[in-house]
Amino acid sequence: YILIGVGIALLGMSGLYHGYKLWARTTIGDYTSIQERPVPFTTNIRNNLRPIVKQEVIIPITTVVLNPEYESPGQQIRAEVFAKALSAEHGPTPEPSLAPVESPTPSAINRVLEKEASEPSYKEILARALVERIDNSATEAAMYMAPTAVQFGTSQMPATRIRIPVVGIDSEVLELGVIEMDESRAWETPNSVVGHIPTTSVPGAQGQGWYFGHLESPLSGEGNVFRSLPELAELVKSHEGEPFYIFMETPDYKFAYRVYRTEIIHEDSLSVPDSGQNDIVLVTCYPRFVYDHRLLITAALVGVIKSQS
């Protein structure tokens, strides 16, 4: 009976796994977004930033007369707010009288209103945080110059670091080596870093650069440096028109790339072509626990700045 039970459990787990695979593959289209390729920065990039406006609640009221014979609804509401504000500032509010009562300071009123205001929902908090991350990334990118304004010379160095602030990716970049197999050769897999295919272009040189990283590696233990790359693909599709930047660094320069294409293909369809454009392509496995597809995110070079020595 124990063996029968184990067999039934394994059969059930197998069924659940295959069901998950079918469901996961239905989400492939959710990550596809093809937009117009961005043009490089110009000198007026700062003028295109979203203005950040900070608003404060100010209620300019001087005095309120509490009349026991008549109070309009508005007067009654204001009196209650003042009473709470006074209590917060000076202790319990005295009984109202015919004499004018000095109003609390605007800061005291604001504190009462802020305290009584409903707390933002978790969804609103996340949305505000996302807008802040997008704006911060765009502000950083605004420091970069047009690629044509920089003279790279003849020998460009490979990237040493990649950052995608909007989804919290920050990793070292290493050149991948070749593994000799029985009858073939293959690129090694990156171990807890982002790996660059050395036969593809480096930042600043003409051509397309390809970079690979693990979504997760439960068996090989090589890290999950691109674990949030699917989140970036979702954001690019759901927030079309917003700028999503990828920053690459070499010993001499920093490069800003803007994402414009996301897609998922089967692993058998993956190749490493060169479009001739100054683009980078980030690659990771998809979906989780299956890993038979590849998520590709393509970004165009839009700005360059010299690294600080």
Side-chain angles (χ1 to χ4, degrees), residues 88-216:
E89 286 281 294
H90 310 292
T93 305
E95 293 294 327
S97 63
L98 294 176
V101 178
E102 184 179 354
S103 67
T105 62
S107 61
I109 300 173
N110 291 339
R111 283 197 294 273
V112 173
L113 294 177
E114 290 173 359
K115 184 176 181 180
E116 293 191 349
S118 60
E119 294 292 331
S121 66
Y122 182 66
K123 186 176 182 180
E124 291 173 334
I125 293 174
L126 291 179
R128 294 174 186 176
L130 172 62
V131 171
E132 183 177 1
R133 293 198 304 271
I134 294 174
D135 287 344
N136 289 342
S137 183
T139 300
E140 178 180 353
M143 298 186 298
Y144 287 62
M145 300 181 295
T148 54
V150 178
Q151 299 295 327
F152 295 114
T154 57
S155 58
Q156 269 302 98
M157 301 291 290
T160 57
R161 185 184 181 193
I162 180 173
R163 292 186 302 110
I164 313 178
V166 74
V167 291
I169 292 177
D170 188 341
S171 172
E172 182 183 7
V173 180
L174 295 179
E175 300 294 287
L176 296 179
V178 176
I179 298 177
E180 297 289 345
M181 306 180 72
D182 292 339
E183 298 180 357
S184 63
R185 306 173 71 192
W187 296 112
E188 65 179 345
T189 57
N191 190 345
S192 301
V193 297
V194 173
H196 171 240
I197 300 295
T199 55
T200 66
S201 180
V202 298
Q206 188 69 27
Q208 199 170 32
W210 287 74
Y211 298 84
F212 287 70
H214 283 295
L215 182 73
E216 56 201 8

Side-chain angles (χ1 to χ4, degrees), residues 10-137:
L10 292 175
L11 185 62
M13 292 176 62
S14 177
L16 289 174
Y17 177 70
H18 285 290
Y20 167 77
K21 287 172 62 176
L22 292 175
W23 170 83
R25 287 166 180 164
T26 63
T27 64
I28 289 176
D30 297 341
Y31 295 89
T32 301
S33 174
I34 301 176
Q35 304 173 15
E36 185 178 354
R37 187 175 184 275
V39 297
F41 285 165
T42 59
T43 55
N44 64 346
I45 181 63
R46 292 179 181 271
N47 298 331
N48 297 327
L49 293 177
R50 178 182 12 236
I52 301 176
V53 180
K54 294 185 178 179
Q55 298 180 349
E56 297 182 358
V57 179
I58 300 297
I59 305 178
I61 301 177
T62 54
T63 59
V64 171
V65 177
L66 302 178
N67 189 335
E69 296 182 358
Y70 172 76
E71 289 185 6
S72 67
Q75 288 175 325
Q76 183 176 0
I77 293 173
R78 288 195 294 273
E80 292 175 356
V81 172
F82 295 151
K84 292 180 180 179
L86 283 171
S87 179
E89 286 281 294
H90 310 292
T93 305
E95 293 294 327
S97 63
L98 294 176
V101 178
E102 184 179 354
S103 67
T105 62
S107 61
I109 300 173
N110 291 339
R111 283 197 294 273
V112 173
L113 294 177
E114 290 173 359
K115 184 176 181 180
E116 293 191 349
S118 60
E119 294 292 331
S121 66
Y122 182 66
K123 186 176 182 180
E124 291 173 334
I125 293 174
L126 291 179
R128 294 174 186 176
L130 172 62
V131 171
E132 183 177 1
R133 293 198 304 271
I134 294 174
D135 287 344
N136 289 342
S137 183

